[in-house]
Each structure stands twice: as C-alpha cells, then as structure tokens.
Amino acid sequence: MRAIAFLLTIPLSLLAQQPFISAVVNDATSDAHFSPGSILRFNGADLPLTFSATLDGKPAAQLGKQSTIVARFQLPVDAPIGPATLVANLGGGKTQQFSITLDQFAPSIYEISPFYPVHSGDPHTHCFLGATAPGSLVTATVSGLGPTNPPVATGVSPENNAPTIVKPFITIDGQAVEVLESVLVQDSVGLYRVRFRAPATEGFHSVRIAAGNQFGNETLLPINVGRIDANFSAATYVVGPVAPESLMTAYSCTVAGLTDGVTAPAISITDSRGIERQARVSFFNKFQANYNIPPGTAIGIATLTIKTSTGVNSTGRLKIESLGPGLFGAVLIVRNQDGVQTVTPATESIDVAQGVGGRPSGTIDLSGDGDVFLILFGTGLRFRSALANVRVTIAGIDVPVEYAGAQGQFDGLDQVNLRLPKSLKGIGDATLVLTVDGFAANAMHLRF
C-alpha cells in the first residue's frame, strides 16, 4: 500500500453537488484548435442535459443528445478570428469561463470510410475492417472547414449539400491528392464531407488535411491490408491514444480467433522510430488477448502485429502519447481508525463511463470518525509530469491526490490514492473526474 498523507479539509460551502467542466476541446481531435462554425466538446461532471454557451456574447448551438459528462456545441459561424471568451451557463447561477483562440479554419478529421464497426459471434468483440481497394473513392467526415456557398447559419443543417468556399488540401503520405468534393453535409450541423481517391498501393497510408494555412490531424487509411484487430485501453475500452507500458486489449475480428486457445499469440509493437519490441501477453483466449505496450515505445504512430498459433496474422495502428489515462471499475476503500488500517474492496460495483452517463450500484460509507481513503486503479498515467498536475474532482469538489503512479505489483497497472473529505458523506450520486497533465480519463460514478 502506498503511503497516505494528512487530511485536507473541504469547506462546508462546497457540500452541494455542482456541475463542473474540466476541459474544452475540439470534438474531432481533442486538441485546442477551433474556428468559426467548428464543433467543440465540453468534458465534465454532472452537466445538465441542456445548457447554453456564448462566445464573446454570440450564442453557440448545442448539438444532439448529451450526457452528464459530455456536451457538444457548434461555435458561432460569424465569430471573429482571434482570442475569444467562451462562457458556459450551467444553470442555477453557475457559469464557467474559458479563453480560446479561433483560426480561420480548424480542419479536423472525424473518420475516413469505409471503416465500419462489426461484431463477430463473440458479444465482446468490436472490430474495424478496412475494405478500401486501391484507387477507390474515399470519404472523410470533417469539421472546421469554414463558410459555404450558400452560407449556413449557426446550428442549422443545410437543406442540400453546401460546397465550401475554400477547398481543403489532402495529402497521402505527404503527397497532395485531388479533392473531388468538399461540402457541408445535408441534415447535419457543422459536418463536412470530403472525397478523394485512395492510393494505388496496398498497406497503411497517412492521410492529413489542411485548409488555408491551417493543418489538421493525421489519420490512417488501410488499403487491402486484411483484417485489423480492434485495440483498446484495457481500462476504458475506447480506441484512442495510449501510453507506453499501458495495459491493452485486442479483440479478434473473425471466428478464426487470435489463438487455438492453448498457445499465446505473439504480439509486437513497431514504434514511430522503426524499433520493434515484443509485448508481454498477460491473458488470452480465442477471441481476446491482453498485453502491455512495451517500455520505451516512442511517441507517435506505432504498428501492432499479431501472429497467431494458427498462422493467421493481422496488423493495426496505435497512436502513442506520453499519457493515456484510464480507470478500471474496481476500487479499494482504506479506513484508519484508532491507528488500525483496514482495506476492503467496494461491496458493490462502481460504474465507469465511456462517453455516456451512468450510475453506480455501490455505496461508499463515510460514517465514523476515522479517515477514509479511496484507491483507484488505472493505466496510462504513470508518466505524469508532477503530482500537482494530477487533478481529481468528485461532484465538482477538488479532492487531494496523494499518490499517482505505478501500482508496483502488476505490470502496467497504475494507482491513485485519494483522501475523501467528510463533506461528501451522504451526498448521493457523484461523478469522479480525473485529469493528468490535461489528459482526461473516463469518468467514474460513485455513491456516498
């Protein structure tokens, strides 16, 4: 058990649960690039299902169905370029203010077809198949491409596809390709369709978009590479950036499976510097393999290779970042009473969210005079810059973080120690939000 420090008190005025926004990011790329008409995402806790936001007094448009931890808005299409003040009005007199900067364009790729999710016979299998043929037509869903002709107002979906005034620039493996279509999509808000042709050569290809003098994110286009195993953080089950030494889960895309059920698959990671390392496989069955990103894996796009005992090989791509925090649902509750420490798991399950709302079935009891600590387990956070840059809120209240790093017993498992303030006693349902150097983990839903 990691050392636990002294209690920090929480003012009683913070007892009431309040909505709280922890981050404002580009919805497609999760970075801080914005433009007039682009789509941003509020990440937070206990957010109202509907609320308003303004940018320098101009109303932004809330989009679609929201949850208590995520809200999406389209920025005003007539907002001026440059620094701006974003204000979220969360109701009950609660507001939060953020400073952002708008560029003329913020080209951001959501996805490139024909990637599509499929399910095999195993209910836990979620895979992506790439069926792109050399030279075929490719469609990218994009945001942040600026005005159209005819113009379309904030929060309005065009009746017909509206062409962009400025055609974006697409590169594949650094080489420019012809953009065949660039339109704001009918019956959607703020989403553009960009079409171009796939390259003639097989393999994985890097696709990047630009508009004006603004470059967007990079994504990957597979051409006739066969099946690609779905790869998730073992904690979040969400496809996204992961960190070196993180715990991962790969799922099989076909009934051929990952193994014969007896021999572990061989999993290797070739990082952005071209160095190949073998990954440690900690669990496997016919449809699933749990493994670790090898220590020393460089930041950037890495290639995953899985060689099965049955001779079936598959490859995929992973984006490696310095951090990729994710939380597991299991927690420990530590109580100090009269110098005696007891450690127990939560008596019932704790709910963790992958982008949607939820509520726990377990309850954390803060009664009694002794100190109570909550021990979280996760992955992808051990390389945080400083403990001061690890922030946890419960019901919008800052909770002291006394340790955040490697758990020390199991490879890839990380641990976060929290001292729970007595002011949380009896507040009911509450959302825990963890951010590490600005990287947000999946939310955790608790009950007190």
Side-chain angles (χ1 to χ4, degrees), residues 19-295:
F20 179 79
I21 295 172
S22 59
V24 178
V25 296
N26 180 304
D27 186 47
T29 61
S30 295
D31 59 22
H33 293 148
F34 304 104
S35 67
S38 66
I39 301 173
L40 65 78
R41 182 175 74 248
F42 291 111
N43 295 332
D46 300 299
L47 300 176
L49 295 182
T50 59
F51 62 94
S52 63
T54 59
L55 187 73
D56 286 346
K58 294 178 179 290
Q62 190 172 13
L63 303 179
K65 184 178 180 181
Q66 313 298 322
S67 76
T68 58
I69 61 173
V70 171
R72 293 175 174 86
F73 281 78
Q74 184 189 28
L75 291 172
V77 298
D78 57 347
I81 307 303
T85 299
L86 178 68
V87 177
N89 302 286
L90 300 175
K94 170 76 172 180
T95 64
Q96 282 186 255
Q97 183 172 302
F98 305 89
S99 295
I100 64 174
T101 299
L102 272 63
D103 294 310
Q104 185 177 6
F105 304 99
S108 308
I109 299 175
Y110 275 94
E111 62 182 5
I112 293 182
S113 68
F115 275 121
Y116 54 94
V118 297
H119 299 264
S120 78
D122 183 272
H124 300 293
T125 302
H126 306 277
C127 301
F128 290 90
L129 300 182
T132 310
S136 62
L137 189 66
V138 177
T139 300
T141 301
V142 183
S143 65
L145 294 185
T148 59
N149 184 18
V152 178
T154 307
V156 174
S157 59
E159 294 182 1
N160 299 292
N161 297 331
T164 59
I165 292 176
V166 174
K167 183 180 287 189
F169 189 71
I170 294 285
T171 61
I172 299 179
D173 299 330
Q175 300 297 313
V177 298
E178 182 183 5
V179 174
L180 303 175
E181 182 186 49
S182 175
V183 298
L184 190 65
V185 180
Q186 179 182 4
D187 298 327
S188 69
V189 175
L191 293 179
Y192 302 79
R193 185 174 69 219
V194 176
R195 285 181 170 165
F196 54 94
R197 294 217 171 265
T201 55
E202 297 184 357
F204 285 97
H205 298 273
S206 169
V207 177
R208 197 171 187 190
I209 189 169
N213 61 354
Q214 297 296 320
F215 282 87
N217 56 321
E218 177 194 46
T219 190
L220 295 165
L221 176 67
I223 308 297
N224 279 2
V225 295
R227 70 187 183 94
I228 304 171
D229 288 292
N231 295 282
F232 306 99
S233 163
T236 65
Y237 282 72
V238 171
V239 176
V242 296
E245 302 185 23
S246 291
L247 292 165
M248 299 290 294
T249 296
Y251 282 114
S252 157
C253 290
T254 69
V255 294
L258 289 169
T259 174
D260 57 9
V262 177
T263 307
I267 299 179
S268 64
I269 304 290
T270 303
D271 67 17
S272 59
R273 296 175 180 173
I275 300 175
E276 182 179 12
R277 299 176 175 88
Q278 293 300 308
R280 188 183 71 86
V281 178
S282 57
F283 169 85
F284 66 92
N285 60 27
K286 192 172 180 64
F287 293 102
Q288 176 182 342
N290 294 350
Y291 66 97
N292 295 68
I293 302 296

Side-chain angles (χ1 to χ4, degrees), residues 4 6-11 14-15 20 45 364 366 372-376 387-404 416-425 427 430-435 444 446 448:
I4 299 177
F6 297 99
L7 176 66
L8 296 180
T9 59
I10 301 295
L14 295 180
L15 177 60
F20 179 79
I364 298 174
L366 294 181
V372 181
F373 306 91
L374 183 64
I375 312 300
L376 311 178
L387 188 61
N389 294 328
V390 181
R391 186 188 183 199
V392 172
T393 63
I394 299 178
I397 299 171
D398 282 303
V399 176
V401 179
E402 303 187 348
Y403 176 79
V416 179
N417 294 355
L418 307 173
R419 182 186 292 266
L420 296 175
K422 294 294 185 180
S423 57
L424 293 172
K425 179 181 176 181
I427 67 169
T431 301
L432 182 150
V433 176
L434 166 70
T435 56
M444 177 175 283
L446 310 171
F448 293 89

